Amino acid sequence: MTTLYVHHPIFTEHLVPSGHPERPDRIRAIEEALSDERFDGLLRRMAPAADIDVATIAHDREYVDLIRGNVPAEGFVRLDADTFMSPRSLEVALHAVGGACLAADEVMRGAAANAFCAVRPPGHHAEADRAMGFCLFNNAVIAARHAQKAHGAERVAIVDWDVHHGNGTQAIVWSDPTVLYASTHQMPLYPGTGAPEETGVGNIVNVPLSPGSGSDAFQRAFLDRILPSVDGFAPDLVVISAGFDAHKSDPLAAINLTEADFAWATEALMEIADRRCQGRIVSLLEGGYDLEALAASVAAHVAALMSA
Ligand SMILES: [Zn+2]
């Protein structure tokens, strides 16, 4: 069985003001890294556009309508301090949602062992009723709930190793015992949520890392808290909010991981997924803002997924 790589050139068409870290070049760096011959074995599929109604499995109808109504004819519309829409942003965001759902479809029906989706804009800061932190639609929650709705998955674990806490994912699944949200993130750091005391209905596991932490603290967090939680939850699917901004070269945070740590975490989750849910993993790109580190980290992550 193969690893599915979901991509699309449209992911470079969500534009942001000059100097914004969440930029189209991120996708170009990933596409180039995965064009290497060692990734020839990937099953490559273009992300289809989702119908906008699909977003309502994670978001309020009023919010989805607000996003639809805010598409600028030119230039930018600013939705929060650092979240923008350009003329094609809605279309791009719907391809991100569609790509996440395609990956869930293919992995759930056994057409691929696992999947990585190189999508943008990212999703984990987007709440049910607001855009935030570069994010419009919460791709991870949509993938999880789509797997539940369309494929009968009972429990889905979302593991988020982006260096920022996924406040949006946490808020949306806060009282949903069928979705586990387990996150490592730097604290203090944007957006400020993610304390260990935030536990939802027992389905939220937050493991904050101090600025300056490296591989040891990250692996400890996984071994002591994240992995046992995921294993104990016995998920039917594991969704990874795969941000690579905890890399030591990343300009937005102060955690010192290397690409080898992302490969390690991928393999650790694969071992649980193998035992619990026939290896089913859907990984979605979140952050990661140093282009070289992003490319190397995605390559290490995808190479690990391909070892299934
Ligand atoms: Zn991030």
Side-chain angles (χ1 to χ4, degrees), residues 60-80:
D60 298 346
R61 166 61 65 186
E62 296 70 26
Y63 171 73
V64 173
D65 289 343
L66 176 130
I67 293 294
R68 177 163 38 197
N70 261 290
V71 178
E74 57 183 48
F76 301 106
V77 163
R78 186 179 200 147
L79 298 174
D80 90 333

mmCIF file with all atom_site columns, all heavy atoms in Angstrom, residues 60-80:
data_model
loop_
_atom_site.group_PDB
_atom_site.id
_atom_site.type_symbol
_atom_site.label_atom_id
_atom_site.label_alt_id
_atom_site.label_comp_id
_atom_site.label_asym_id
_atom_site.label_entity_id
_atom_site.label_seq_id
_atom_site.pdbx_PDB_ins_code
_atom_site.Cartn_x
_atom_site.Cartn_y
_atom_site.Cartn_z
_atom_site.occupancy
_atom_site.B_iso_or_equiv
_atom_site.pdbx_formal_charge
_atom_site.auth_seq_id
_atom_site.auth_comp_id
_atom_site.auth_asym_id
_atom_site.auth_atom_id
_atom_site.pdbx_PDB_model_num
ATOM 1   N N   . ASP A 1 60 ? -19.919 27.415 12.071 1.00 0.00 ? 60 ASP A N   1
ATOM 2   C CA  . ASP A 1 60 ? -21.288 27.930 12.042 1.00 0.00 ? 60 ASP A CA  1
ATOM 3   C C   . ASP A 1 60 ? -21.623 28.400 10.631 1.00 0.00 ? 60 ASP A C   1
ATOM 4   O O   . ASP A 1 60 ? -20.769 28.956 9.934  1.00 0.00 ? 60 ASP A O   1
ATOM 5   C CB  . ASP A 1 60 ? -21.431 29.131 12.988 1.00 0.00 ? 60 ASP A CB  1
ATOM 6   C CG  . ASP A 1 60 ? -21.161 28.753 14.435 1.00 0.00 ? 60 ASP A CG  1
ATOM 7   O OD1 . ASP A 1 60 ? -21.126 27.540 14.733 1.00 0.00 ? 60 ASP A OD1 1
ATOM 8   O OD2 . ASP A 1 60 ? -20.983 29.675 15.250 1.00 0.00 ? 60 ASP A OD2 1
ATOM 9   N N   . ARG A 1 61 ? -22.879 28.219 10.261 1.00 0.00 ? 61 ARG A N   1
ATOM 10  C CA  . ARG A 1 61 ? -23.349 28.680 8.948  1.00 0.00 ? 61 ARG A CA  1
ATOM 11  C C   . ARG A 1 61 ? -23.076 30.193 8.760  1.00 0.00 ? 61 ARG A C   1
ATOM 12  O O   . ARG A 1 61 ? -22.636 30.623 7.705  1.00 0.00 ? 61 ARG A O   1
ATOM 13  C CB  . ARG A 1 61 ? -24.844 28.359 8.826  1.00 0.00 ? 61 ARG A CB  1
ATOM 14  C CG  . ARG A 1 61 ? -25.569 29.041 7.701  1.00 0.00 ? 61 ARG A CG  1
ATOM 15  C CD  . ARG A 1 61 ? -25.029 28.699 6.324  1.00 0.00 ? 61 ARG A CD  1
ATOM 16  N NE  . ARG A 1 61 ? -25.228 27.292 5.985  1.00 0.00 ? 61 ARG A NE  1
ATOM 17  C CZ  . ARG A 1 61 ? -24.730 26.733 4.870  1.00 0.00 ? 61 ARG A CZ  1
ATOM 18  N NH1 . ARG A 1 61 ? -24.011 27.444 4.020  1.00 0.00 ? 61 ARG A NH1 1
ATOM 19  N NH2 . ARG A 1 61 ? -24.938 25.458 4.613  1.00 0.00 ? 61 ARG A NH2 1
ATOM 20  N N   . GLU A 1 62 ? -23.290 30.980 9.809  1.00 0.00 ? 62 GLU A N   1
ATOM 21  C CA  . GLU A 1 62 ? -23.085 32.437 9.712  1.00 0.00 ? 62 GLU A CA  1
ATOM 22  C C   . GLU A 1 62 ? -21.624 32.746 9.386  1.00 0.00 ? 62 GLU A C   1
ATOM 23  O O   . GLU A 1 62 ? -21.333 33.672 8.636  1.00 0.00 ? 62 GLU A O   1
ATOM 24  C CB  . GLU A 1 62 ? -23.466 33.145 11.022 1.00 0.00 ? 62 GLU A CB  1
ATOM 25  C CG  . GLU A 1 62 ? -24.936 33.054 11.408 1.00 0.00 ? 62 GLU A CG  1
ATOM 26  C CD  . GLU A 1 62 ? -25.371 31.648 11.844 1.00 0.00 ? 62 GLU A CD  1
ATOM 27  O OE1 . GLU A 1 62 ? -24.516 30.854 12.332 1.00 0.00 ? 62 GLU A OE1 1
ATOM 28  O OE2 . GLU A 1 62 ? -26.564 31.321 11.673 1.00 0.00 ? 62 GLU A OE2 1
ATOM 29  N N   . TYR A 1 63 ? -20.719 31.995 9.981  1.00 0.00 ? 63 TYR A N   1
ATOM 30  C CA  . TYR A 1 63 ? -19.292 32.225 9.718  1.00 0.00 ? 63 TYR A CA  1
ATOM 31  C C   . TYR A 1 63 ? -18.946 31.854 8.278  1.00 0.00 ? 63 TYR A C   1
ATOM 32  O O   . TYR A 1 63 ? -18.237 32.590 7.586  1.00 0.00 ? 63 TYR A O   1
ATOM 33  C CB  . TYR A 1 63 ? -18.422 31.417 10.698 1.00 0.00 ? 63 TYR A CB  1
ATOM 34  C CG  . TYR A 1 63 ? -16.954 31.455 10.326 1.00 0.00 ? 63 TYR A CG  1
ATOM 35  C CD1 . TYR A 1 63 ? -16.201 32.616 10.516 1.00 0.00 ? 63 TYR A CD1 1
ATOM 36  C CD2 . TYR A 1 63 ? -16.326 30.349 9.749  1.00 0.00 ? 63 TYR A CD2 1
ATOM 37  C CE1 . TYR A 1 63 ? -14.861 32.666 10.146 1.00 0.00 ? 63 TYR A CE1 1
ATOM 38  C CE2 . TYR A 1 63 ? -14.982 30.392 9.381  1.00 0.00 ? 63 TYR A CE2 1
ATOM 39  C CZ  . TYR A 1 63 ? -14.259 31.548 9.582  1.00 0.00 ? 63 TYR A CZ  1
ATOM 40  O OH  . TYR A 1 63 ? -12.946 31.602 9.204  1.00 0.00 ? 63 TYR A OH  1
ATOM 41  N N   . VAL A 1 64 ? -19.445 30.722 7.810  1.00 0.00 ? 64 VAL A N   1
ATOM 42  C CA  . VAL A 1 64 ? -19.163 30.298 6.438  1.00 0.00 ? 64 VAL A CA  1
ATOM 43  C C   . VAL A 1 64 ? -19.702 31.350 5.456  1.00 0.00 ? 64 VAL A C   1
ATOM 44  O O   . VAL A 1 64 ? -19.033 31.724 4.483  1.00 0.00 ? 64 VAL A O   1
ATOM 45  C CB  . VAL A 1 64 ? -19.774 28.901 6.169  1.00 0.00 ? 64 VAL A CB  1
ATOM 46  C CG1 . VAL A 1 64 ? -19.636 28.514 4.704  1.00 0.00 ? 64 VAL A CG1 1
ATOM 47  C CG2 . VAL A 1 64 ? -19.108 27.859 7.065  1.00 0.00 ? 64 VAL A CG2 1
ATOM 48  N N   . ASP A 1 65 ? -20.891 31.878 5.747  1.00 0.00 ? 65 ASP A N   1
ATOM 49  C CA  . ASP A 1 65 ? -21.461 32.926 4.898  1.00 0.00 ? 65 ASP A CA  1
ATOM 50  C C   . ASP A 1 65 ? -20.619 34.199 4.952  1.00 0.00 ? 65 ASP A C   1
ATOM 51  O O   . ASP A 1 65 ? -20.460 34.896 3.952  1.00 0.00 ? 65 ASP A O   1
ATOM 52  C CB  . ASP A 1 65 ? -22.907 33.236 5.316  1.00 0.00 ? 65 ASP A CB  1
ATOM 53  C CG  . ASP A 1 65 ? -23.851 32.093 4.958  1.00 0.00 ? 65 ASP A CG  1
ATOM 54  O OD1 . ASP A 1 65 ? -23.461 31.234 4.129  1.00 0.00 ? 65 ASP A OD1 1
ATOM 55  O OD2 . ASP A 1 65 ? -24.970 32.040 5.519  1.00 0.00 ? 65 ASP A OD2 1
ATOM 56  N N   . LEU A 1 66 ? -20.080 34.498 6.128  1.00 0.00 ? 66 LEU A N   1
ATOM 57  C CA  . LEU A 1 66 ? -19.233 35.688 6.268  1.00 0.00 ? 66 LEU A CA  1
ATOM 58  C C   . LEU A 1 66 ? -17.964 35.552 5.421  1.00 0.00 ? 66 LEU A C   1
ATOM 59  O O   . LEU A 1 66 ? -17.560 36.490 4.736  1.00 0.00 ? 66 LEU A O   1
ATOM 60  C CB  . LEU A 1 66 ? -18.872 35.891 7.743  1.00 0.00 ? 66 LEU A CB  1
ATOM 61  C CG  . LEU A 1 66 ? -17.926 37.032 8.085  1.00 0.00 ? 66 LEU A CG  1
ATOM 62  C CD1 . LEU A 1 66 ? -18.505 37.870 9.217  1.00 0.00 ? 66 LEU A CD1 1
ATOM 63  C CD2 . LEU A 1 66 ? -16.536 36.535 8.473  1.00 0.00 ? 66 LEU A CD2 1
ATOM 64  N N   . ILE A 1 67 ? -17.361 34.370 5.431  1.00 0.00 ? 67 ILE A N   1
ATOM 65  C CA  . ILE A 1 67 ? -16.169 34.147 4.612  1.00 0.00 ? 67 ILE A CA  1
ATOM 66  C C   . ILE A 1 67 ? -16.530 34.288 3.130  1.00 0.00 ? 67 ILE A C   1
ATOM 67  O O   . ILE A 1 67 ? -15.832 34.957 2.362  1.00 0.00 ? 67 ILE A O   1
ATOM 68  C CB  . ILE A 1 67 ? -15.561 32.747 4.886  1.00 0.00 ? 67 ILE A CB  1
ATOM 69  C CG1 . ILE A 1 67 ? -15.001 32.678 6.323  1.00 0.00 ? 67 ILE A CG1 1
ATOM 70  C CG2 . ILE A 1 67 ? -14.480 32.394 3.872  1.00 0.00 ? 67 ILE A CG2 1
ATOM 71  C CD1 . ILE A 1 67 ? -13.809 33.589 6.566  1.00 0.00 ? 67 ILE A CD1 1
ATOM 72  N N   . ARG A 1 68 ? -17.665 33.704 2.748  1.00 0.00 ? 68 ARG A N   1
ATOM 73  C CA  . ARG A 1 68 ? -18.092 33.790 1.350  1.00 0.00 ? 68 ARG A CA  1
ATOM 74  C C   . ARG A 1 68 ? -18.343 35.243 0.943  1.00 0.00 ? 68 ARG A C   1
ATOM 75  O O   . ARG A 1 68 ? -18.038 35.646 -0.162 1.00 0.00 ? 68 ARG A O   1
ATOM 76  C CB  . ARG A 1 68 ? -19.363 32.947 1.151  1.00 0.00 ? 68 ARG A CB  1
ATOM 77  C CG  . ARG A 1 68 ? -19.904 33.040 -0.252 1.00 0.00 ? 68 ARG A CG  1
ATOM 78  C CD  . ARG A 1 68 ? -20.877 31.953 -0.638 1.00 0.00 ? 68 ARG A CD  1
ATOM 79  N NE  . ARG A 1 68 ? -21.782 31.562 0.447  1.00 0.00 ? 68 ARG A NE  1
ATOM 80  C CZ  . ARG A 1 68 ? -22.473 30.426 0.447  1.00 0.00 ? 68 ARG A CZ  1
ATOM 81  N NH1 . ARG A 1 68 ? -22.375 29.604 -0.556 1.00 0.00 ? 68 ARG A NH1 1
ATOM 82  N NH2 . ARG A 1 68 ? -23.269 30.141 1.459  1.00 0.00 ? 68 ARG A NH2 1
ATOM 83  N N   . GLY A 1 69 ? -18.878 36.014 1.875  1.00 0.00 ? 69 GLY A N   1
ATOM 84  C CA  . GLY A 1 69 ? -19.227 37.405 1.573  1.00 0.00 ? 69 GLY A CA  1
ATOM 85  C C   . GLY A 1 69 ? -18.051 38.357 1.627  1.00 0.00 ? 69 GLY A C   1
ATOM 86  O O   . GLY A 1 69 ? -18.186 39.533 1.277  1.00 0.00 ? 69 GLY A O   1
ATOM 87  N N   . ASN A 1 70 ? -16.880 37.887 2.079  1.00 0.00 ? 70 ASN A N   1
ATOM 88  C CA  . ASN A 1 70 ? -15.736 38.785 2.269  1.00 0.00 ? 70 ASN A CA  1
ATOM 89  C C   . ASN A 1 70 ? -14.672 38.699 1.183  1.00 0.00 ? 70 ASN A C   1
ATOM 90  O O   . ASN A 1 70 ? -13.629 39.333 1.297  1.00 0.00 ? 70 ASN A O   1
ATOM 91  C CB  . ASN A 1 70 ? -15.082 38.505 3.613  1.00 0.00 ? 70 ASN A CB  1
ATOM 92  C CG  . ASN A 1 70 ? -15.543 39.496 4.674  1.00 0.00 ? 70 ASN A CG  1
ATOM 93  O OD1 . ASN A 1 70 ? -15.189 40.664 4.622  1.00 0.00 ? 70 ASN A OD1 1
ATOM 94  N ND2 . ASN A 1 70 ? -16.370 39.035 5.583  1.00 0.00 ? 70 ASN A ND2 1
ATOM 95  N N   . VAL A 1 71 ? -14.932 37.916 0.133  1.00 0.00 ? 71 VAL A N   1
ATOM 96  C CA  . VAL A 1 71 ? -13.916 37.755 -0.920 1.00 0.00 ? 71 VAL A CA  1
ATOM 97  C C   . VAL A 1 71 ? -13.669 39.102 -1.602 1.00 0.00 ? 71 VAL A C   1
ATOM 98  O O   . VAL A 1 71 ? -14.596 39.694 -2.144 1.00 0.00 ? 71 VAL A O   1
ATOM 99  C CB  . VAL A 1 71 ? -14.386 36.725 -1.965 1.00 0.00 ? 71 VAL A CB  1
ATOM 100 C CG1 . VAL A 1 71 ? -13.360 36.590 -3.079 1.00 0.00 ? 71 VAL A CG1 1
ATOM 101 C CG2 . VAL A 1 71 ? -14.656 35.375 -1.303 1.00 0.00 ? 71 VAL A CG2 1
ATOM 102 N N   . PRO A 1 72 ? -12.436 39.617 -1.554 1.00 0.00 ? 72 PRO A N   1
ATOM 103 C CA  . PRO A 1 72 ? -12.183 40.914 -2.183 1.00 0.00 ? 72 PRO A CA  1
ATOM 104 C C   . PRO A 1 72 ? -12.057 40.795 -3.705 1.00 0.00 ? 72 PRO A C   1
ATOM 105 O O   . PRO A 1 72 ? -11.607 39.762 -4.204 1.00 0.00 ? 72 PRO A O   1
ATOM 106 C CB  . PRO A 1 72 ? -10.846 41.344 -1.573 1.00 0.00 ? 72 PRO A CB  1
ATOM 107 C CG  . PRO A 1 72 ? -10.149 40.060 -1.266 1.00 0.00 ? 72 PRO A CG  1
ATOM 108 C CD  . PRO A 1 72 ? -11.227 39.045 -0.940 1.00 0.00 ? 72 PRO A CD  1
ATOM 109 N N   . ALA A 1 73 ? -12.477 41.810 -4.428 1.00 0.00 ? 73 ALA A N   1
ATOM 110 C CA  . ALA A 1 73 ? -12.324 41.824 -5.886 1.00 0.00 ? 73 ALA A CA  1
ATOM 111 C C   . ALA A 1 73 ? -10.850 42.013 -6.239 1.00 0.00 ? 73 ALA A C   1
ATOM 112 O O   . ALA A 1 73 ? -10.359 41.513 -7.247 1.00 0.00 ? 73 ALA A O   1
ATOM 113 C CB  . ALA A 1 73 ? -13.159 42.941 -6.487 1.00 0.00 ? 73 ALA A CB  1
ATOM 114 N N   . GLU A 1 74 ? -10.137 42.747 -5.406 1.00 0.00 ? 74 GLU A N   1
ATOM 115 C CA  . GLU A 1 74 ? -8.686  42.914 -5.584 1.00 0.00 ? 74 GLU A CA  1
ATOM 116 C C   . GLU A 1 74 ? -8.061  43.214 -4.230 1.00 0.00 ? 74 GLU A C   1
ATOM 117 O O   . GLU A 1 74 ? -8.776  43.529 -3.279 1.00 0.00 ? 74 GLU A O   1
ATOM 118 C CB  . GLU A 1 74 ? -8.401  44.048 -6.563 1.00 0.00 ? 74 GLU A CB  1
ATOM 119 C CG  . GLU A 1 74 ? -9.011  45.373 -6.133 1.00 0.00 ? 74 GLU A CG  1
ATOM 120 C CD  . GLU A 1 74 ? -8.773  46.482 -7.158 1.00 0.00 ? 74 GLU A CD  1
ATOM 121 O OE1 . GLU A 1 74 ? -9.013  46.233 -8.354 1.00 0.00 ? 74 GLU A OE1 1
ATOM 122 O OE2 . GLU A 1 74 ? -8.330  47.566 -6.731 1.00 0.00 ? 74 GLU A OE2 1
ATOM 123 N N   . GLY A 1 75 ? -6.749  43.103 -4.156 1.00 0.00 ? 75 GLY A N   1
ATOM 124 C CA  . GLY A 1 75 ? -6.058  43.404 -2.893 1.00 0.00 ? 75 GLY A CA  1
ATOM 125 C C   . GLY A 1 75 ? -6.412  42.407 -1.802 1.00 0.00 ? 75 GLY A C   1
ATOM 126 O O   . GLY A 1 75 ? -6.575  41.215 -2.071 1.00 0.00 ? 75 GLY A O   1
ATOM 127 N N   . PHE A 1 76 ? -6.548  42.922 -0.570 1.00 0.00 ? 76 PHE A N   1
ATOM 128 C CA  . PHE A 1 76 ? -6.761  42.042 0.570  1.00 0.00 ? 76 PHE A CA  1
ATOM 129 C C   . PHE A 1 76 ? -7.924  42.504 1.430  1.00 0.00 ? 76 PHE A C   1
ATOM 130 O O   . PHE A 1 76 ? -8.213  43.683 1.504  1.00 0.00 ? 76 PHE A O   1
ATOM 131 C CB  . PHE A 1 76 ? -5.513  42.025 1.465  1.00 0.00 ? 76 PHE A CB  1
ATOM 132 C CG  . PHE A 1 76 ? -4.279  41.560 0.753  1.00 0.00 ? 76 PHE A CG  1
ATOM 133 C CD1 . PHE A 1 76 ? -3.288  42.461 0.386  1.00 0.00 ? 76 PHE A CD1 1
ATOM 134 C CD2 . PHE A 1 76 ? -4.113  40.214 0.445  1.00 0.00 ? 76 PHE A CD2 1
ATOM 135 C CE1 . PHE A 1 76 ? -2.154  42.032 -0.291 1.00 0.00 ? 76 PHE A CE1 1
ATOM 136 C CE2 . PHE A 1 76 ? -2.984  39.779 -0.220 1.00 0.00 ? 76 PHE A CE2 1
ATOM 137 C CZ  . PHE A 1 76 ? -2.008  40.688 -0.589 1.00 0.00 ? 76 PHE A CZ  1
ATOM 138 N N   . VAL A 1 77 ? -8.555  41.542 2.093  1.00 0.00 ? 77 VAL A N   1
ATOM 139 C CA  . VAL A 1 77 ? -9.466  41.837 3.192  1.00 0.00 ? 77 VAL A CA  1
ATOM 140 C C   . VAL A 1 77 ? -8.813  41.250 4.432  1.00 0.00 ? 77 VAL A C   1
ATOM 141 O O   . VAL A 1 77 ? -8.302  40.124 4.410  1.00 0.00 ? 77 VAL A O   1
ATOM 142 C CB  . VAL A 1 77 ? -10.852 41.193 2.949  1.00 0.00 ? 77 VAL A CB  1
ATOM 143 C CG1 . VAL A 1 77 ? -11.648 41.127 4.244  1.00 0.00 ? 77 VAL A CG1 1
ATOM 144 C CG2 . VAL A 1 77 ? -11.624 41.977 1.905  1.00 0.00 ? 77 VAL A CG2 1
ATOM 145 N N   . ARG A 1 78 ? -8.802  42.042 5.518  1.00 0.00 ? 78 ARG A N   1
ATOM 146 C CA  . ARG A 1 78 ? -8.168  41.587 6.755  1.00 0.00 ? 78 ARG A CA  1
ATOM 147 C C   . ARG A 1 78 ? -9.244  41.066 7.705  1.00 0.00 ? 78 ARG A C   1
ATOM 148 O O   . ARG A 1 78 ? -10.173 41.796 8.048  1.00 0.00 ? 78 ARG A O   1
ATOM 149 C CB  . ARG A 1 78 ? -7.449  42.790 7.361  1.00 0.00 ? 78 ARG A CB  1
ATOM 150 C CG  . ARG A 1 78 ? -6.618  42.468 8.561  1.00 0.00 ? 78 ARG A CG  1
ATOM 151 C CD  . ARG A 1 78 ? -5.937  43.754 9.055  1.00 0.00 ? 78 ARG A CD  1
ATOM 152 N NE  . ARG A 1 78 ? -4.798  43.415 9.887  1.00 0.00 ? 78 ARG A NE  1
ATOM 153 C CZ  . ARG A 1 78 ? -3.692  44.149 9.952  1.00 0.00 ? 78 ARG A CZ  1
ATOM 154 N NH1 . ARG A 1 78 ? -3.569  45.244 9.235  1.00 0.00 ? 78 ARG A NH1 1
ATOM 155 N NH2 . ARG A 1 78 ? -2.719  43.781 10.753 1.00 0.00 ? 78 ARG A NH2 1
ATOM 156 N N   . LEU A 1 79 ? -9.117  39.803 8.118  1.00 0.00 ? 79 LEU A N   1
ATOM 157 C CA  . LEU A 1 79 ? -10.141 39.192 8.985  1.00 0.00 ? 79 LEU A CA  1
ATOM 158 C C   . LEU A 1 79 ? -9.770  39.253 10.459 1.00 0.00 ? 79 LEU A C   1
ATOM 159 O O   . LEU A 1 79 ? -10.631 39.254 11.319 1.00 0.00 ? 79 LEU A O   1
ATOM 160 C CB  . LEU A 1 79 ? -10.360 37.734 8.586  1.00 0.00 ? 79 LEU A CB  1
ATOM 161 C CG  . LEU A 1 79 ? -10.871 37.502 7.159  1.00 0.00 ? 79 LEU A CG  1
ATOM 162 C CD1 . LEU A 1 79 ? -10.903 36.013 6.857  1.00 0.00 ? 79 LEU A CD1 1
ATOM 163 C CD2 . LEU A 1 79 ? -12.250 38.110 6.945  1.00 0.00 ? 79 LEU A CD2 1
ATOM 164 N N   . ASP A 1 80 ? -8.490  39.226 10.756 1.00 0.00 ? 80 ASP A N   1
ATOM 165 C CA  . ASP A 1 80 ? -8.023  39.492 12.127 1.00 0.00 ? 80 ASP A CA  1
ATOM 166 C C   . ASP A 1 80 ? -6.618  40.054 11.997 1.00 0.00 ? 80 ASP A C   1
ATOM 167 O O   . ASP A 1 80 ? -6.185  40.388 10.888 1.00 0.00 ? 80 ASP A O   1
ATOM 168 C CB  . ASP A 1 80 ? -8.138  38.242 13.027 1.00 0.00 ? 80 ASP A CB  1
ATOM 169 C CG  . ASP A 1 80 ? -6.905  37.353 13.031 1.00 0.00 ? 80 ASP A CG  1
ATOM 170 O OD1 . ASP A 1 80 ? -6.163  37.352 12.013 1.00 0.00 ? 80 ASP A OD1 1
ATOM 171 O OD2 . ASP A 1 80 ? -6.669  36.646 14.023 1.00 0.00 ? 80 ASP A OD2 1
#
